[in-house]
Amino acid sequence: MSNNNHRCFDLLEPIEQQIKTKLLTAPVGHSDESGVRVAGKLHWLHTFSSTLFTFFFVHAKRGKKALEDSMSLLPDFSGWLVHDCWSSYFRFTGCRHALCGAHIIRELTALQEKNVVWAKWFERYLFTLFKMTQAHNGVLPPDLQQKALLLFDKIATAADIIEPKPQKVKGKRGKPK
């Protein structure tokens, strides 16, 4: 069985290289990570994908060490990187960053469950923007872009007024709640 695994590994290496090349030249790439067990210990399955290709690798670490590892494609990617807003992704300055819509909606849903009113407004805004973009073949005309930006500013301003400012707790590390 081990010989077959090694043989498959060797035979698939050219395909893996083609997948990596396609991903590195894609205009948009999506990256995420998920915990997996390896020999009973927590490791991380890192994914990088485009509309047609996906590359996975497993690493003992989740953050910087894994994302900068020789297995990772992120250091060489120069397109739009779509991710979940995890700070480790922002270390890559050779690409442009976009936040994953599914992750944003999940965060907004959690806020709505806590009765945060602006979260519902923002969710409606995002879905309306999505429908408007679909209706215009993926690109909003300039006049609708301007209206969308104005509405975004109104929602963001309302959220800033409604939400209390983050408080740093003395002696606690990390971002304030």
Side-chain angles (χ1 to χ4, degrees):
M1 183 66 148
S2 177
N3 286 341
N4 284 336
N5 285 344
H6 288 289
R7 185 168 177 247
C8 284
F9 179 84
D10 291 339
L11 290 172
L12 289 172
E13 187 170 353
I15 303 301
E16 180 180 334
Q17 289 306 315
Q18 288 176 17
I19 290 169
K20 288 178 178 180
T21 299
K22 292 290 188 181
L23 286 168
L24 288 172
T25 58
V28 178
H30 303 264
S31 193
D32 205 359
E33 71 291 326
S34 186
V36 295
R37 294 274 172 203
V38 176
K41 293 186 178 183
L42 179 63
H43 281 64
W44 296 91
L45 175 67
H46 294 268
T47 65
F48 186 71
S49 62
S50 67
T51 54
L52 296 176
F53 299 96
T54 301
F55 177 73
F56 301 96
F57 73 96
V58 175
H59 199 280
K61 300 290 183 181
R62 180 180 181 208
K64 180 181 176 183
K65 281 187 179 181
L67 298 178
E68 292 178 351
D69 189 89
S70 62
M71 289 289 293
S72 176
L73 301 181
L74 294 182
D76 299 318
F77 183 65
S78 61
W80 279 95
L81 179 62
V82 180
H83 55 82
D84 60 3
C85 198
W86 190 43
S87 61
S88 292
Y89 290 118
F90 289 107
R91 294 180 187 274
F92 297 97
T93 57
C95 61
R96 297 180 76 181
H97 296 269
L99 302 183
C100 171
H103 282 89
I104 292 171
I105 297 300
R106 184 169 55 199
E107 294 291 333
L108 290 171
T109 299
L111 289 170
Q112 288 175 57
E113 290 170 358
K114 295 178 181 179
N115 297 316
V116 175
V117 67
W118 67 262
K120 184 64 179 171
W121 301 338
F122 195 66
E123 181 183 66
R124 284 185 190 148
Y125 166 80
L126 289 176
F127 281 116
T128 301
L129 196 59
F130 175 72
K131 288 177 186 173
M132 288 169 52
T133 303
Q134 280 187 317
H136 292 90
N137 297 320
V139 179
L140 285 180
D143 63 319
L144 292 180
Q145 288 178 24
Q146 189 60 35
K147 287 179 183 178
L149 288 171
L150 289 172
L151 183 53
F152 174 86
D153 286 341
K154 286 181 181 180
I155 295 170
T157 299
D160 282 342
I161 292 167
I162 294 168
E163 287 296 310
K165 299 292 178 216
Q167 300 294 316
K168 182 78 173 161
V169 177
K170 191 173 183 176
K172 288 257 185 171
R173 294 179 358 164
K175 289 190 258 181
K177 294 281 183 196

